[in-house]
Amino acid sequence: MVPIFKKGQKKDPANYRPVSLTSIPCKMMESIVKEEIMDHLTRHHLLKDSQHGFLPGRSCATNLIVTMDKITKAVDNGEPVDLVYLDFSKAFDKVPHRKLLTKIEVKGIRGDFARWIRNWLSNRKQCVRVNGQESSEADVKSGVPQGTILRPILFDIHIDDLDLAIQYLVDLIKFADDTKVFRTMKNEEERKKLQEALDNLCVWAKTWGMEFNVLKCKIMHIGHNNPKYQFTMEGTPLGETETERDLGVAVDMNLKLTKQCKKAAARAQVVLSQILKFFHYRDRNHYLNLYKTYVRPHLDFAVTAWSPWSINDIELLEKVQQKALRNTSGLKGRTYEERCEEVGLETLAARRKRHDMIQTFKILKGIDGVKSEEIFEKVAHAAGTRLAADPWNLKKTRARKEIRINSFGLRVIDTWNSLPAELKKIDKAALFKKE
């Protein structure tokens, strides 16, 4: 095990992530086993739709899109929402082997595969390596090993039935161990249902050998008329939060995007400044490759879930790329748009619109596993309208609040409907991207 520092005090061992260094042949065998397990689970739809982590087509963006679509829809209807961010204590390291193997068998993974996984988990030993020195070996009695290829999918299997603990009480969405539950909160009856869900989650955790870090679990009260009820887990009141880092995106209780835009722009700016500092001779091709590889991803990450609409936020992001192009050789005396065209870059606003169309395509074609009917409504059944002429056109519902009007589910509709009918009929994402 090699400890990788995360954040906080470097003297605290809890602030390090232990990563396993395993052999290449072992990783190759794990990859083969993982592909077979994944094929079995997806073919028979054995994992709940609430899981977005480490599954084909799913991502942080799909997790956030589904979450924010439901929340903005409720807020637009005048319904306050309470959103609870759950935190497992050492989630991956807590998984009990025997109970995990039971759940693997329930999923229909039996015979040689099940025996291989049992042997893979059994009789493991580990030592810690720091600065070239190693500790003595210790038995690994629980957990799916850090740094292994099978780790994520085995963890997904272990917490898959978490949904059953809160069925019909709240909405639950997962990205591996990053879990959140939410519910509209208008009266005492709804408060009781959310509290019951939290109690059931604590019972589930004890039953299956897991543990919530209650002090890190937070509740966000969304909506101006939110009664702001207090909730507890294991008898401890939940702390309240106004802004939370949700899968790398800053989510604010007012659902506006300014904090996320500032965070994304600041991170990108830091990396760009380092590139400008250390690369005095900037060959255009190499410099632009550095920008596209290390800077722009900070401005693009999960952007379909948080695409800005205010002029200030849009300009804040665009300024990063403008600065990058100002320092590109051979582009002096040209406008920003001319510089983008010269080097073959899109403006960030145009790039976000392209990302929107690709994400819409994936949802409608069922590529990323998101249920399209939960986000969109087709207009094909509305006979006699111009939009109904194309079966892939979408119906745009009315919205009152700015946050709902600019949410992904409504923002993309006009642009999508304006695309040529032939383009919307394409079945493969790679071909759609080229067009």
Side-chain angles (χ1 to χ4, degrees):
M1 310 296 294
V2 175
I4 306 298
F5 178 68
K6 294 187 292 185
K7 60 181 179 180
Q9 294 290 330
K10 290 190 175 183
K11 294 182 179 180
D12 185 355
N15 292 329
Y16 289 79
R17 187 186 307 280
V19 176
S20 297
L21 300 183
T22 57
S23 67
I24 299 301
C26 181
K27 290 183 177 180
M28 291 173 65
M29 186 62 188
E30 285 181 53
S31 297
I32 295 170
V33 173
K34 179 189 174 184
E35 287 180 9
E36 293 297 322
I37 293 175
M38 189 66 73
D39 179 68
H40 170 75
L41 295 174
T42 54
R43 184 163 17 98
H44 298 289
H45 306 288
L46 295 175
L47 290 179
K48 303 287 190 301
D49 290 333
S50 62
Q51 181 60 265
H52 289 252
F54 308 109
L55 297 178
R58 297 295 186 94
S59 64
C60 295
T62 60
N63 179 295
L64 292 166
I65 285 172
V66 172
T67 303
M68 299 314 296
D69 187 79
K70 291 182 178 181
I71 291 177
T72 56
K73 191 179 296 182
V75 172
D76 194 62
N77 290 331
E79 300 174 339
V81 176
D82 276 356
L83 171 61
V84 180
Y85 289 97
L86 301 171
D87 186 274
F88 283 103
S89 178
K90 300 187 180 300
F92 288 85
D93 299 325
K94 288 278 188 180
V95 177
H97 292 168
R98 185 174 298 177
K99 293 182 178 181
L100 170 61
L101 291 168
T102 300
K103 292 192 174 185
I104 287 172
E105 187 173 347
V106 169
K107 295 295 184 185
I109 302 171
R110 303 186 179 96
D112 290 340
F113 268 97
R115 283 191 292 273
W116 190 93
I117 294 172
R118 183 183 296 110
N119 291 335
W120 181 77
L121 289 171
S122 302
N123 301 317
R124 297 185 73 100
K125 295 181 182 293
Q126 68 181 30
C127 66
V128 179
R129 180 187 298 167
V130 178
N131 296 329
Q133 296 186 349
E134 295 182 359
S135 68
S136 57
E137 290 186 340
D139 293 328
V140 180
K141 298 180 181 180
S142 66
V144 279
Q146 282 270 15
T148 58
I149 293 174
L150 280 175
R151 174 185 171 87
I153 189 60
L154 292 182
F155 185 82
D156 281 356
I157 291 173
H158 187 66
I159 69 167
D160 187 56
D161 62 351
L162 187 65
D163 303 55
L164 301 179
I166 48 85
Q167 210 166 17
Y168 310 118
L169 294 173
V170 293
D171 285 297
L172 178 145
I173 294 183
K174 306 188 288 275
F175 190 94
D177 62 322
D178 287 305
T179 305
K180 47 187 176 268
V181 297
F182 54 93
R183 173 179 184 92
T184 56
M185 199 57 50
K186 295 181 291 185
N187 51 48
E188 179 66 19
E189 185 63 28
E190 292 183 329
R191 185 202 68 79
K192 290 180 180 178
K193 289 184 177 180
L194 178 52
Q195 183 60 61
E196 182 183 351
L198 295 175
D199 293 339
N200 290 351
L201 289 171
C202 293
V203 172
W204 178 93
K206 290 181 180 179
T207 302
W208 293 105
M210 303 295 287
E211 182 183 355
F212 287 107
N213 187 339
V214 178
L215 295 179
K216 288 187 178 181
C217 295
K218 302 292 183 181
I219 185 165
M220 181 180 290
H221 301 296
I222 301 172
H224 72 277
N225 56 342
N226 195 303
K228 298 184 178 181
Y229 294 117
Q230 189 177 76
F231 297 90
T232 62
M233 291 183 72
E234 300 177 355
T236 302
L238 288 181
E240 298 183 5
T241 181
E242 295 184 356
T243 303
E244 194 70 15
R245 187 172 180 265
D246 189 352
L247 301 178
V249 174
V251 175
D252 195 85
M253 63 184 297
N254 62 20
L255 302 181
K256 294 185 178 180
L257 304 172
T258 299
K259 290 182 180 179
Q260 167 58 22
C261 291
K262 287 181 178 179
K263 182 173 77 72
R267 285 186 172 183
Q269 184 64 55
V270 168
V271 179
L272 178 59
S273 297
Q274 291 174 336
I275 292 173
L276 295 175
K277 178 180 179 180
F278 291 108
F279 291 86
H280 298 289
Y281 173 72
R282 299 176 195 129
D283 172 78
R284 181 184 293 188
N285 290 333
H286 291 162
Y287 172 67
L288 289 175
N289 282 335
L290 288 170
Y291 167 75
K292 289 187 284 187
T293 303
Y294 297 107
V295 180
R296 195 169 63 181
H298 291 289
L299 306 170
D300 279 349
F301 175 72
V303 74
T304 49
W306 59 272
S307 184
W309 65 82
S310 76
I311 294 176
N312 288 340
D313 290 342
I314 292 171
E315 290 180 348
L316 180 66
L317 297 178
E318 212 74 58
K319 284 179 180 178
V320 180
Q321 182 160 287
Q322 290 174 356
K323 180 177 179 179
L325 292 181
R326 281 198 305 270
N327 288 276
T328 304
S329 59
L331 296 179
K332 290 185 178 180
R334 304 189 188 188
T335 65
Y336 172 51
E337 290 74 16
E338 289 172 342
R339 289 171 176 169
C340 286
E341 185 176 357
E342 171 70 20
V343 299
L345 290 179
E346 299 172 296
T347 64
L348 295 177
R351 187 172 172 81
R352 286 193 295 271
K353 185 171 289 188
R354 182 173 182 272
H355 284 314
D356 278 350
M357 292 302 97
I358 293 172
Q359 186 64 67
T360 303
F361 175 87
K362 288 181 177 180
I363 292 175
L364 291 174
K365 301 293 181 176
I367 294 173
D368 57 11
V370 175
K371 293 181 178 179
S372 62
E373 62 272 15
E374 293 185 358
I375 308 293
F376 302 119
E377 180 182 351
K378 293 183 180 179
V379 299
H381 65 276
T385 66
R386 179 183 59 83
L387 288 175
D390 185 344
W392 287 104
N393 278 343
L394 302 173
K395 180 180 178 181
K396 191 170 186 178
T397 57
R398 292 185 177 181
R400 298 180 300 109
K401 295 184 179 292
E402 191 177 45
I403 54 172
R404 179 60 185 165
I405 293 170
N406 292 282
S407 66
F408 175 83
L410 294 186
R411 180 183 74 238
V412 303
I413 291 179
D414 288 338
T415 305
W416 173 262
N417 288 344
S418 68
L419 295 179
E422 295 75 17
L423 187 58
K424 287 179 276 190
K425 291 178 182 178
I426 294 175
D427 289 327
K428 295 184 177 180
L431 184 57
F432 181 83
K433 291 177 182 179
K434 289 181 180 179
E435 296 295 327

